[in-house]
Amino acid sequence: MTTVPALEDFCQYAQGAGFLAVDTEFVRTRTYYARLGLVQVQAAERTALIDPVVLVNEGGESAMAPLWQLFADADMTLVIHAGGEDYEILHQHMGKLPNAIFDTQIASAMLGDGDALGYAALVEQRLGVAIDKSQSRTDWMKRPLADEQLDYAAADVFYLQQLYPQLYELAGTQGKLELILQESAWQADKRAQTVPDEWQFLYFGNAWQCNAEQLSVLRELVAWRYQRARSSDLPLGFIAKDHTLLDLARQMPDSKNQLRQFKDLSPVTIKYAGDALLEVIARGRANGPLDIPLRRLTDLPNYKTMFNEIKQLAQNVANELGINVALIASRRQINDVLHWCWQIPPQAQAQLPLPDLFTSWRGAKLKQPIEQLLK
């Protein structure tokens, strides 16, 4: 679909569909922001492959507004499989999240199909259809798209529409519909959350290896990398890799000659951003030591005991809800909540998203017991 009249006609038709099966195709290999290459929608009997690359107005701006308005309709449910980055890119283009989401991967996991089944596996398991995934590595920004690519894209929503009624009915029968809807909404909300640049270092791997002065420098470096990646629309790793930032923070170079000693720091970065990088390091040193005693979680007293206690709390909730404990609290999620409670300072907590186990339906079940346990 490459014209505004065709898009408007489809959106008008889709208003009466009740729900929409939706998928997106995008490219994110050399950019910070994902490049939207295609939007697939199945509405009742019609399949639409909508081309955002071509659908622009005379001023070169996107002409996708009718679709975004359809997705934002308060009465419309979007059915998506493993939304993840789909939610992120929809939020980026719509400026908001869809009103209601049913994620079929979440549903299938909570209904006992197995954890995190891929779309092809779920379609084969529930519909007995084998999907050709040979086009999964397509460059969705390249035009024209081949018939094989378009067929592949259409299949991603054609069978999704057939899965939804099955899963919806089963969710109702098992009493899990509200839980699935809450989890789907929360997963989307999470993709729309942001962490202020000044606090990104708190989630930086191996930050615990820095002393107080080095940690102050690392805070500035991590914030600078995010700012430069966004302004240049480049992946974080193109600016500087994680281990390079950590080395810069620990060694604190003060000249371009010293910067050149870091073998994984791009010569392009040194040439065009070397002065700014040195200023960032100098600012971190000038700010003085950072009194946030980050340590490796596994080295903290009572870590293993508290981890196992929280895991048991999650198991109790899993037994109550009749779902796998892995859907309640993963190892990472337990570590995140311990990190939050033990190492995130109050002034940062006031500006940061809560850890997973303290939000949505998980928080309603686990937040108070975990806080009491850790006290």
Side-chain angles (χ1 to χ4, degrees), residues 34 63 67 84 123:
L67 185 67
V123 169

Side-chain angles (χ1 to χ4, degrees), residues 204 217-218 221-225 240-250 277:
F204 186 86
V217 174
L218 182 66
L221 284 169
V222 172
W224 168 81
R225 183 175 66 164
K241 298 186 183 302
D242 284 1
H243 70 270
T244 302
L245 284 192
L246 186 63
D247 289 344
L248 287 168
R250 297 180 71 186
L277 188 52

Side-chain angles (χ1 to χ4, degrees), residues 98-326:
N99 180 67
I101 295 169
F102 186 100
D103 192 310
T104 51
Q105 185 179 71
I106 292 169
S108 69
M110 289 191 172
L111 295 172
D113 285 342
D115 297 343
L117 275 184
Y119 177 67
L122 181 60
V123 169
E124 186 163 11
Q125 179 170 309
R126 286 210 162 262
L127 302 179
V129 176
I131 295 179
D132 177 14
K133 301 298 288 183
S134 62
Q135 300 298 320
S136 59
R137 296 189 179 276
T138 285
D139 179 357
W140 294 102
M141 301 304 294
K142 186 178 180 180
R143 294 297 182 271
L145 293 171
D147 289 343
E148 294 82 0
Q149 295 167 318
L150 297 175
D151 289 342
Y152 164 88
D156 279 348
V157 289
F158 180 78
Y159 297 109
L160 189 58
Q161 184 199 42
Q162 298 176 41
L163 286 170
Y164 174 62
Q166 283 191 26
L167 295 171
Y168 187 91
E169 181 178 2
L170 190 56
T173 302
Q174 293 189 16
K176 295 176 180 176
L177 179 58
E178 185 58 33
L179 183 63
I180 291 167
L181 293 175
Q182 287 185 43
E183 178 69 358
S184 298
W186 174 76
Q187 289 285 355
D189 287 341
K190 189 176 178 183
R191 286 288 181 161
Q193 292 175 348
T194 58
V195 173
D197 291 340
E198 64 178 303
W199 298 119
Q200 288 282 2
F201 77 101
L202 292 171
Y203 304 99
F204 186 86
N206 295 327
W208 57 270
Q209 294 181 9
C210 294
N211 62 32
E213 183 181 20
Q214 294 166 347
L215 197 60
S216 180
V217 174
L218 182 66
R219 175 175 64 176
E220 299 298 327
L221 284 169
V222 172
W224 168 81
R225 183 175 66 164
Y226 271 98
Q227 292 159 8
R228 183 166 177 80
R230 287 195 301 267
S231 64
S232 305
D233 195 18
L234 290 171
L236 293 173
F238 279 33
I239 307 299
K241 298 186 183 302
D242 284 1
H243 70 270
T244 302
L245 284 192
L246 186 63
D247 289 344
L248 287 168
R250 297 180 71 186
Q251 297 182 41
M252 296 183 282
D254 58 11
S255 70
K256 283 191 176 180
N257 282 336
Q258 290 182 10
L259 288 180
R260 294 186 181 97
Q261 304 307 309
F262 294 82
K263 62 179 182 179
D264 288 332
L265 189 61
S266 163
V268 174
T269 298
I270 295 173
K271 179 177 180 179
Y272 293 103
D275 290 335
L277 188 52
L278 293 171
E279 289 176 8
V280 167
I281 294 169
R283 182 167 64 249
R285 299 187 71 172
N287 288 340
L290 197 58
D291 187 23
I292 300 178
L294 294 182
R295 293 172 61 187
R296 183 162 51 184
L297 272 179
T298 53
D299 292 339
L300 293 174
N302 296 325
Y303 165 76
K304 188 173 182 179
T305 300
M306 291 299 101
F307 182 95
N308 289 332
E309 291 281 359
I310 294 174
K311 188 174 182 179
Q312 185 57 54
L313 290 174
Q315 183 64 63
N316 295 342
V317 174
N319 294 341
E320 173 193 344
L321 298 176
I323 61 178
N324 193 312
V325 68

Side-chain angles (χ1 to χ4, degrees), residues 58-111:
E58 292 182 358
E61 297 177 346
S62 173
M64 296 281 286
L67 185 67
W68 306 144
Q69 291 168 8
L70 175 67
F71 284 1
D73 189 319
D75 297 322
M76 187 62 70
T77 295
L78 266 60
V79 180
I80 298 176
H81 185 84
E85 289 183 291
D86 295 302
Y87 304 140
E88 184 178 337
I89 202 165
L90 288 176
H91 184 264
Q92 176 185 329
H93 286 266
M94 294 172 61
K96 60 189 294 187
L97 288 168
N99 180 67
I101 295 169
F102 186 100
D103 192 310
T104 51
Q105 185 179 71
I106 292 169
S108 69
M110 289 191 172
L111 295 172

